[in-house]
Amino acid sequence: MPIEGAEVEQVRQALLRYAGWDQVPEETMTELCLGANLVEVKRKRSVFRRGEPGPGLFVVKSGEFKLSLISSEGREQILYLAEPGKLIGEGFLPRDVQCAASAFAMLDSEAWQFETDPVISLIGRSQPLAFALMRHMAFRANRLIDLVLDLSLRSVERRLASFLLSLAMRAGAEPGKPCVIPRQLDMNTVAARLGTVREEISRALNRMQREGILSLSRQEIVVLDLNALERVTYE
């Protein structure tokens, strides 16, 4: 479904959150945003799958998507979660290159889609747009390298501590003060993000609770000792 009016400005503002996009000329941004289509994706449905041709770029309007890999045995590795405003670039590929990951809606969601060919045409006329997209692709590549580092060289407890530390810092945690982290993700999703299984996550949480780092309940995780959580992350 083509977009217009206020929605075009919404797309523009979402893209301007990313480094380099403020250098893209106004006329190029307008042409790009006017070319977007709104797609609605039901929960557990995909916008693209591993092995399929890439359908283009996406910006999440509402809901949430997960970028993931699923093994032949059904084991899942989540690469990242994409909330509203997030740019998804893994489907922006030449037509002869297949997607390496899949993107699924975690709940009924909407995204603005920019089909590949019109974006390539614009890139050919706008070096700033090319650099903005290069920055995004480089950022995603670096995050995937960090993920490989985590999965290869860090224990489950250290991965979990790092994950909880990032959530705590996002929630405004301060040393010496308890910080509440609502349990918004189920254990299976957390395990899939950290490259393990829910039993290992449970064991790691219980160890940190016994050590006085965390307090656990069904609804929330309370970080009691931020410095100790940071030590586990980097030890």
Side-chain angles (χ1 to χ4, degrees):
M1 180 191 307
I3 65 170
E4 56 186 27
E7 198 160 7
V8 172
E9 182 60 20
Q10 278 185 274
V11 178
R12 181 176 172 276
Q13 290 301 323
L15 291 172
L16 287 173
R17 293 173 51 204
Y18 293 92
W21 284 86
D22 60 335
Q23 302 301 310
V24 179
E26 185 66 32
E27 61 273 17
T28 303
M29 282 289 284
T30 299
E31 186 175 348
L32 176 69
C33 295
L34 283 171
N37 290 298
L38 180 64
V39 295
E40 298 178 352
V41 189
K42 294 295 185 183
R43 180 175 177 267
K44 295 188 177 180
R45 296 295 182 89
S46 65
V47 288
F48 56 82
R49 291 174 180 261
R50 178 178 171 85
E52 295 179 348
L57 289 165
F58 293 86
V59 174
V60 181
K61 179 184 179 182
S62 65
E64 189 171 38
F65 292 84
K66 64 177 177 180
L67 277 288
S68 67
L69 302 172
I70 302 175
S71 72
S72 56
E73 297 81 20
R75 177 91 175 262
E76 182 179 37
Q77 173 63 57
I78 295 178
L79 305 179
Y80 65 92
L81 299 177
E83 69 281 356
K86 192 98 169 196
L87 177 61
I88 300 174
E90 283 74 9
F92 181 58
L93 300 164
R95 291 199 173 275
D96 58 340
V97 178
Q98 297 178 334
C99 295
S102 302
F104 293 95
M106 295 191 71
L107 56 155
D108 290 353
S109 303
E110 297 175 303
W112 294 295
Q113 178 186 9
F114 308 84
E115 294 184 357
T116 299
D117 289 346
V119 177
I120 290 175
S121 177
L122 273 175
I123 288 173
R125 293 183 273 124
S126 175
Q127 188 179 75
L129 176 59
F131 277 121
L133 286 169
M134 284 173 63
R135 280 178 177 272
H136 178 74
M137 299 304 184
F139 170 78
R140 289 275 15 120
N142 287 341
R143 292 299 295 269
L144 289 175
I145 291 170
D146 288 342
L147 179 61
V148 171
L149 175 66
D150 269 355
L151 297 179
S152 302
L153 302 176
R154 304 176 82 187
S155 67
V156 171
E157 188 168 3
R158 286 180 66 192
R159 279 179 253 159
L160 178 60
S162 176
F163 175 67
L164 293 176
L165 181 63
S166 67
L167 294 180
M169 298 309 293
R170 199 179 304 167
E174 298 178 38
K177 296 182 181 180
C179 176
V180 176
I181 302 173
R183 286 199 168 191
Q184 297 174 322
L185 299 176
D186 62 44
M187 294 282 277
N188 288 326
T189 301
V190 174
R193 286 193 69 172
L194 301 181
T196 185
V197 293
R198 60 176 297 152
E199 292 79 11
E200 288 292 335
I201 295 295
S202 294
R203 280 193 281 270
L205 284 171
N206 289 331
R207 276 197 299 272
M208 284 190 273
Q209 180 168 242
R210 288 195 301 271
E211 292 167 4
I213 299 171
L214 307 174
S215 174
L216 307 174
S217 71
R218 287 180 178 274
Q219 290 77 34
E220 61 190 26
I221 296 171
V222 181
V223 178
L224 302 174
D225 190 335
L226 189 67
N227 289 333
L229 185 64
E230 189 170 10
R231 284 196 297 274
V232 174
T233 300
Y234 297 111
E235 66 185 8

